[in-house]
């Protein structure tokens, strides 16, 4: 469990709040070929409801963030868990991370192929291991040994993702033929899911899970499983990012938001926007979600859309794409 450190410094009665995302990107019309817009709204709403139920019952932010991500990992339309994009070789490689702001403890897995809920693997690394990040087959083995449920490749397969891989591979060959610049081809919707939560005790937590980028190769890992880049939480803020991971890694994006809030005293929204502006200046696309200890939230993105939602206990649920 996540002990209640630093509580005395936090607001007396914060309103428990949850913010989620299901990825940012161009969100072109073809994304809706297999799953309708209403289906995405339903998926976001279900994740929001599941996480908020934890908070409404007085549960910890860490559990609420994890629960919301688990629901999104089960939805085949999001690029995490079931429905994850394919790597170049035709298999999935899943990344996830989770952090408790009250304790500073964190866990992550990268490049796992068998965990039904990679975020549960990240939580087990946080709770039971002496490490922060486990990768590859070792991570699969460790997490399965700790009781994290596994699933066969068929569980993760969707026809849409398979077709996207074939299209990306074709584009790679074209890129090689014409400009000699082989490399990963990004999905129109970059994907990834995440959640940040503030609980009734003032504790913050962040969680992120992804299949990464379509047609990724050579064991490529993005920002999502990297504490400080794709996920971060402390006593003041919790952040989960989505987008072109290499850019978020170079800017150590999630930690940069926290540092701006702590050292510059910037409001949460301004800090998030400043970091996203820097990422955009370097050509990076994506977005992030954040909540602070006072219950302020921010959900900026610089893409055509970002699947997102937020709700405070006792308040209305809001979900949006564009
Ligand atoms: N950030 C993820 C990655 O680069 C992808 C995404 O968020 O869509 O692996």
């Amino acid at each position: 469990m996540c002990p209640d450190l630093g509580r005395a410094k936090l607001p007396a009665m914060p309103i428990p709040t949850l913010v989620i995302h299901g990825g940012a990107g161009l969100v072109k019309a073809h994304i809706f070929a297999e799953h309708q817009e209403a289906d995405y709204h339903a998926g976001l709403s279900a994740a929001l409801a599941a996480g908020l139920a934890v908070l409404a019952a007085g549960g910890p932010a860490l559990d609420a963030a994890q629960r919301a991500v688990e629901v999104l990992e089960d939805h085949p339309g999001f690029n995490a868990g079931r429905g994850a994009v394919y790597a170049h070789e035709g298999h999935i490689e899943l990344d996830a991370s989770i952090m408790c702001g009250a304790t500073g403890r964190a866990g992550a897995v990268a490049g796992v192929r068998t965990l039904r809920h990679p975020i549960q693997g990240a939580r087990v690394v946080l709770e039971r291991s002496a490490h922060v990040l486990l990768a590859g087959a070792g991570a699969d083995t460790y997490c399965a040994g700790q009781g994290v449920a596994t699933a066969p490749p068929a569980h993760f397969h969707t026809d849409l993702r398979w077709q996207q891989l074939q299209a990306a591979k074709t584009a790679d060959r074209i890129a090689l033929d014409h400009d000699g610049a082989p490399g990963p081809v990004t999905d129109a919707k970059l994907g990834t899911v995440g959640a940040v939560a503030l609980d009734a005790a003032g504790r913050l937590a962040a969680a992120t899970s992804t299949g990464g980028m379509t047609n990724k190769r050579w064991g490529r890992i993005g920002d999502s499983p990297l504490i400080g880049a794709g996920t971060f939480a402390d006593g003041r803020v919790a952040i989960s990012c989505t987008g072109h991971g290499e850019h978020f890694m170079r800017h150590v994006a999630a930690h940069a938001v926290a540092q701006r809030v702590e050292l510059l005293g910037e409001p949460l929204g301004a800090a998030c926007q400043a970091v996203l502006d820097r990422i955009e200046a370097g050509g990076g696309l994506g977005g992030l979600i954040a909540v602070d200890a006072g219950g302020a939230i921010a959900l900026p993105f610089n893409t055509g859309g970002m699947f997102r939602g937020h709700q405070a206990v006792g308040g209305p649920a809001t979900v949006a794409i564009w």
Side-chain angles (χ1 to χ4, degrees), residues 162-178:
W162 188 253
Q163 289 159 13
Q164 285 172 341
L165 174 63
Q166 307 318 314
K169 283 182 154 183
T170 301
D172 250 353
R173 284 197 291 274
I174 292 167
L176 267 172
D177 286 343
H178 293 286

Side-chain angles (χ1 to χ4, degrees), residues 206-224:
T208 311
S209 181
T210 189
M213 295 171 78
T214 301
N215 201 26
K216 62 185 180 182
R217 298 178 78 174
W218 308 301
R220 179 267 183 191
I221 290 167
D223 60 314
S224 303

Side-chain angles (χ1 to χ4, degrees), residues 191-297:
T192 296
V193 306
V196 295
L198 166 69
D199 67 27
R203 295 169 297 200
L204 293 153
T208 311
S209 181
T210 189
M213 295 171 78
T214 301
N215 201 26
K216 62 185 180 182
R217 298 178 78 174
W218 308 301
R220 179 267 183 191
I221 290 167
D223 60 314
S224 303
L226 301 186
I227 298 301
T231 302
F232 188 74
D234 61 15
R236 294 177 180 79
V237 296
I239 304 108
S240 170
C241 302
T242 175
H244 194 152
E246 281 69 8
H247 291 273
F248 285 77
M249 290 155 78
R250 291 185 195 109
H251 286 272
V252 200
H255 189 250
V257 170
Q259 291 281 276
R260 294 186 78 95
V261 170
E262 179 179 355
L263 302 178
L264 299 179
E266 286 184 347
L268 184 68
C272 290
Q273 193 59 54
V275 170
L276 194 58
D277 287 348
R278 287 191 173 194
I279 288 171
E280 185 168 339
L285 294 174
L288 53 94
I289 57 170
V291 62
D292 71 15
I297 64 170

Side-chain angles (χ1 to χ4, degrees), residues 2 33 58 73 88 100 105 127 143 175 180 192 233 250 260 299 308:
C2 188
E73 286 177 336
H88 183 79
C100 174
R105 293 179 62 191
E127 298 284 355
C143 294
T192 296
R250 291 185 195 109
R260 294 186 78 95
L299 309 84
R308 62 197 186 279

Side-chain angles (χ1 to χ4, degrees), residues 3 9 77-78 87 119 124-125 142 189 193 199 211 254 297 307 321:
K9 297 177 190 164
F78 295 107
I119 198 66
V124 156
V125 173
Y142 174 77
K189 185 184 90 62
V193 306
D199 67 27
I297 64 170
F307 297 101
I321 299 176

Side-chain angles (χ1 to χ4, degrees), residues 118-134:
I119 198 66
Q120 292 178 356
R123 181 70 182 267
V124 156
V125 173
L126 180 156
E127 298 284 355
R128 301 188 203 157
S129 84
H131 310 294
V132 171
L133 172 61
L134 300 181

